[in-house]
Coordinates of all heavy atoms in Angstrom, one line a residue:
K21 N 59.4 89.9 123.8 CA 58.9 89.6 122.4 C 58.0 90.7 121.9 O 58.0 91.1 120.8 CB 58.1 88.2 122.5 CG 59.0 87.0 122.6 CD 58.1 85.7 122.6 CE 59.0 84.5 122.7 NZ 58.3 83.3 122.8
E22 N 57.1 91.2 122.8 CA 56.2 92.3 122.4 C 57.0 93.6 122.0 O 56.8 94.2 121.1 CB 55.2 92.7 123.5 CG 54.1 91.6 123.6 CD 53.3 91.5 122.3 OE1 53.0 92.5 121.7 OE2 53.1 90.3 121.9
Q23 N 58.1 93.8 122.8 CA 59.0 95.0 122.5 C 59.7 94.8 121.2 O 59.8 95.7 120.4 CB 60.0 95.2 123.6 CG 60.8 96.5 123.5 CD 60.0 97.8 123.4 OE1 59.1 97.9 124.2 NE2 60.4 98.6 122.5
A24 N 60.2 93.6 120.9 CA 60.9 93.3 119.7 C 59.9 93.4 118.5 O 60.3 93.9 117.4 CB 61.5 91.9 119.7
K25 N 58.7 92.9 118.7 CA 57.7 93.0 117.7 C 57.4 94.5 117.3 O 57.4 94.9 116.1 CB 56.4 92.4 118.2 CG 55.4 92.1 117.2 CD 54.3 91.2 117.8 CE 53.0 91.2 117.1 NZ 52.0 90.4 117.8
K26 N 57.3 95.4 118.3 CA 57.1 96.8 118.1 C 58.3 97.4 117.4 O 58.2 98.2 116.5 CB 56.8 97.5 119.4 CG 56.6 99.0 119.3 CD 56.5 99.6 120.7 CE 56.4 101.1 120.6 NZ 57.3 101.8 119.7
D27 N 59.5 97.1 117.9 CA 60.7 97.6 117.3 C 60.9 97.2 115.8 O 61.2 98.1 115.0 CB 62.0 97.2 118.1 CG 62.0 97.8 119.5 OD1 61.3 98.8 119.7 OD2 62.8 97.3 120.3
M28 N 60.6 96.0 115.5 CA 60.7 95.5 114.1 C 59.7 96.2 113.2 O 60.0 96.6 112.1 CB 60.6 94.0 114.0 CG 61.8 93.3 114.5 SD 61.6 91.5 114.2 CE 63.1 90.9 114.8
S29 N 58.5 96.4 113.8 CA 57.4 97.1 113.0 C 57.9 98.5 112.7 O 57.7 99.0 111.6 CB 56.1 97.1 113.8 OG 55.6 95.8 113.9
D30 N 58.4 99.2 113.7 CA 58.9 100.6 113.5 C 60.0 100.6 112.5 O 60.0 101.6 111.6 CB 59.4 101.1 114.9 CG 58.3 101.4 115.9 OD1 57.1 101.4 115.5 OD2 58.7 101.6 117.1
M31 N 60.9 99.7 112.5 CA 62.0 99.6 111.5 C 61.4 99.5 110.1 O 61.8 100.2 109.1 CB 63.0 98.5 111.8 CG 63.9 98.8 112.9 SD 65.2 97.6 113.1 CE 64.4 96.5 114.4
L32 N 60.5 98.6 109.9 CA 59.8 98.3 108.6 C 59.1 99.5 108.1 O 59.1 99.8 106.9 CB 59.0 97.1 108.7 CG 59.7 95.8 108.7 CD1 58.7 94.6 108.8 CD2 60.6 95.6 107.5
E33 N 58.4 100.2 109.1 CA 57.7 101.5 108.7 C 58.7 102.5 108.1 O 58.4 103.2 107.1 CB 57.0 102.1 109.9 CG 55.6 101.4 110.2 CD 54.9 102.1 111.4 OE1 55.0 103.3 111.5 OE2 54.4 101.4 112.2
Y34 N 59.8 102.6 108.8 CA 60.8 103.6 108.3 C 61.3 103.2 106.9 O 61.5 104.1 106.1 CB 62.0 103.7 109.3 CG 63.0 104.7 108.9 CD1 62.7 106.0 109.1 CD2 64.2 104.3 108.4 CE1 63.7 107.0 108.7 CE2 65.2 105.2 108.1 CZ 64.9 106.6 108.2 OH 65.8 107.5 107.8
V35 N 61.6 101.9 106.7 CA 62.1 101.5 105.4 C 61.0 101.7 104.4 O 61.4 102.2 103.3 CB 62.5 100.0 105.5 CG1 62.8 99.5 104.1 CG2 63.8 99.8 106.4
N36 N 59.8 101.5 104.7 CA 58.7 101.7 103.7 C 58.6 103.2 103.4 O 58.3 103.6 102.3 CB 57.4 101.2 104.2 CG 57.3 99.7 104.1 OD1 57.9 99.1 103.2 ND2 56.5 99.1 105.0
K37 N 58.9 104.1 104.4 CA 58.8 105.5 104.2 C 59.9 105.9 103.2 O 59.7 106.8 102.3 CB 59.0 106.2 105.5 CG 58.7 107.7 105.5 CD 58.7 108.2 106.9 CE 57.9 109.5 106.9 NZ 57.7 110.0 108.2
L38 N 61.1 105.2 103.2 CA 62.2 105.5 102.3 C 61.8 105.2 100.9 O 62.3 105.8 99.9 CB 63.4 104.8 102.7 CG 64.1 105.2 104.0 CD1 65.3 104.3 104.3 CD2 64.6 106.7 103.8
N39 N 60.9 104.2 100.7 CA 60.4 103.8 99.4 C 59.6 104.9 98.7 O 59.4 104.8 97.5 CB 59.6 102.5 99.4 CG 60.5 101.3 99.7 OD1 61.7 101.3 99.3 ND2 59.9 100.3 100.3
E40 N 59.1 105.9 99.5 CA 58.3 106.9 98.9 C 59.2 108.0 98.2 O 58.7 108.8 97.4 CB 57.5 107.6 100.0 CG 56.5 106.7 100.7 CD 55.9 107.4 101.9 OE1 56.1 108.6 102.1 OE2 55.1 106.7 102.6
L41 N 60.5 108.0 98.4 CA 61.4 109.0 97.8 C 61.5 108.8 96.3 O 61.6 107.6 95.8 CB 62.8 108.9 98.5 CG 62.9 109.2 99.9 CD1 64.3 109.0 100.5 CD2 62.5 110.7 100.1
D42 N 61.6 109.9 95.6 CA 61.9 109.8 94.2 C 63.4 109.7 93.9 O 64.1 110.6 94.2 CB 61.3 111.1 93.5 CG 61.5 111.1 92.0 OD1 61.7 110.0 91.4 OD2 61.5 112.2 91.4
T43 N 63.8 108.6 93.4 CA 65.2 108.3 93.1 C 65.5 108.1 91.6 O 66.4 107.4 91.3 CB 65.7 107.1 93.9 OG1 64.9 106.0 93.5 CG2 65.6 107.3 95.4
T44 N 64.6 108.7 90.8 CA 64.8 108.4 89.3 C 66.1 109.0 88.8 O 66.7 108.3 87.9 CB 63.6 109.0 88.5 OG1 63.5 110.4 88.9 CG2 62.3 108.3 88.8
N45 N 66.6 110.1 89.2 CA 67.8 110.7 88.7 C 69.0 110.5 89.6 O 70.0 111.1 89.5 CB 67.6 112.2 88.4 CG 66.6 112.4 87.3 OD1 66.6 111.6 86.4 ND2 65.8 113.5 87.5
V46 N 68.9 109.5 90.6 CA 70.0 109.3 91.5 C 70.8 108.1 91.0 O 70.2 107.0 90.8 CB 69.4 109.0 92.9 CG1 70.6 108.7 93.9 CG2 68.6 110.2 93.4
E47 N 72.1 108.3 90.8 CA 73.0 107.2 90.4 C 73.2 106.2 91.5 O 73.6 106.6 92.6 CB 74.3 107.8 89.9 CG 75.2 106.8 89.2 CD 76.5 107.5 88.7 OE1 76.4 108.7 88.3 OE2 77.5 106.8 88.7
P48 N 73.1 104.9 91.2 CA 73.4 103.9 92.3 C 74.9 104.0 92.7 O 75.7 104.3 91.9 CB 73.1 102.6 91.6 CG 72.3 102.9 90.4 CD 72.7 104.3 90.0
M49 N 75.1 103.8 94.0 CA 76.5 103.8 94.5 C 76.6 102.7 95.6 O 75.7 102.3 96.2 CB 76.8 105.2 95.0 CG 76.0 105.6 96.2 SD 76.5 107.3 96.7 CE 75.0 108.0 97.0
S50 N 77.8 102.3 95.8 CA 78.1 101.3 96.8 C 78.6 101.9 98.1 O 78.6 101.3 99.1 CB 79.2 100.3 96.3 OG 80.4 101.0 96.1
H51 N 79.0 103.2 98.0 CA 79.5 103.9 99.2 C 79.2 105.4 99.1 O 79.1 105.9 98.0 CB 81.0 103.7 99.4 CG 81.5 103.9 100.7 ND1 81.9 105.2 101.2 CD2 81.7 103.1 101.8 CE1 82.3 105.1 102.4 NE2 82.2 103.8 102.8
V52 N 79.0 106.0 100.3 CA 78.7 107.5 100.3 C 79.8 108.3 99.7 O 79.6 109.2 99.0 CB 78.3 107.9 101.7 CG1 78.0 109.4 101.7 CG2 77.1 107.1 102.2
F53 N 81.0 107.9 100.1 CA 82.2 108.7 99.6 C 82.8 108.0 98.4 O 82.8 106.7 98.3 CB 83.2 108.8 100.8 CG 82.7 109.4 102.0 CD1 82.4 108.7 103.1 CD2 82.5 110.8 102.0 CE1 81.9 109.3 104.3 CE2 82.0 111.4 103.1 CZ 81.7 110.7 104.3
P54 N 83.4 108.7 97.5 CA 84.1 108.1 96.4 C 85.3 107.4 96.8 O 86.1 107.9 97.6 CB 84.4 109.2 95.4 CG 84.4 110.5 96.3 CD 83.5 110.2 97.4
L55 N 85.4 106.1 96.4 CA 86.6 105.3 96.8 C 87.5 105.1 95.6 O 87.1 104.7 94.5 CB 86.2 103.9 97.3 CG 85.3 104.0 98.6 CD1 84.9 102.5 98.9 CD2 86.1 104.6 99.7
N56 N 88.8 105.4 95.8 CA 89.7 105.3 94.7 C 90.8 104.3 95.2 O 91.1 104.3 96.4 CB 90.4 106.6 94.3 CG 89.4 107.6 93.8 OD1 88.5 107.2 93.1 ND2 89.5 108.8 94.2
N57 N 91.4 103.6 94.3 CA 92.5 102.7 94.7 C 93.7 103.5 95.0 O 94.2 104.2 94.1 CB 92.7 101.7 93.5 CG 93.7 100.6 93.9 OD1 94.3 100.6 95.0 ND2 94.0 99.7 93.0
V58 N 94.2 103.4 96.2 CA 95.3 104.2 96.6 C 96.6 103.3 96.7 O 97.6 103.7 97.3 CB 95.1 104.9 98.0 CG1 94.0 106.0 97.8 CG2 94.7 103.9 99.0
M59 N 96.5 102.2 96.1 CA 97.7 101.3 96.1 C 98.7 101.7 95.1 O 98.4 102.2 94.1 CB 97.2 99.8 95.8 CG 96.1 99.4 96.7 SD 96.7 98.9 98.3 CE 96.2 97.2 98.3
R60 N 99.9 101.5 95.4 CA 101.0 101.8 94.5 C 101.2 100.6 93.6 O 100.8 99.5 93.9 CB 102.3 102.1 95.2 CG 102.8 101.0 96.1 CD 104.2 101.3 96.6 NE 104.6 100.3 97.6 CZ 105.1 99.1 97.3 NH1 105.2 98.7 96.0 NH2 105.4 98.2 98.2
E61 N 101.9 100.8 92.5 CA 102.3 99.7 91.6 C 103.2 98.8 92.3 O 104.1 99.3 93.1 CB 103.0 100.3 90.3 CG 102.0 100.8 89.3 CD 101.1 99.7 88.7 OE1 101.6 98.6 88.4 OE2 99.9 100.0 88.6
D62 N 103.1 97.5 92.1 CA 104.0 96.6 92.7 C 105.2 96.4 91.9 O 105.2 95.6 90.9 CB 103.2 95.2 92.9 CG 104.0 94.3 93.8 OD1 104.9 94.7 94.5 OD2 103.7 93.1 93.7
V63 N 106.2 97.2 92.2 CA 107.5 97.2 91.4 C 108.6 96.7 92.3 O 108.8 97.2 93.4 CB 107.8 98.6 90.9 CG1 109.1 98.6 90.1 CG2 106.6 99.1 90.0
V64 N 109.4 95.8 91.8 CA 110.6 95.3 92.6 C 111.6 96.5 92.6 O 112.0 97.0 91.5 CB 111.2 94.1 92.0 CG1 112.4 93.6 92.7 CG2 110.1 93.0 92.0
T65 N 112.0 96.9 93.8 CA 113.0 98.0 93.9 C 114.4 97.5 94.3 O 115.3 98.3 94.3 CB 112.5 99.1 94.9 OG1 112.3 98.4 96.1 CG2 111.2 99.7 94.4
N66 N 114.5 96.3 94.8 CA 115.8 95.8 95.2 C 116.1 94.5 94.5 O 115.2 93.7 94.3 CB 115.9 95.7 96.7 CG 114.8 94.7 97.3 OD1 113.9 94.4 96.6 ND2 115.0 94.3 98.5
A67 N 117.3 94.3 94.1 CA 117.7 93.1 93.4 C 118.0 92.0 94.4 O 118.0 92.2 95.6 CB 118.9 93.4 92.5

């Protein structure tokens, strides 16, 4: 329990440190890499 308490506190400190970053001109994103739909059109090719 004491180790978990220390680990959780360390994690929260790190997250709070990230809040110090200036992100005013950073566009929000859902993924680091751009994701494009690579699916083909669903077209019937055989009768």
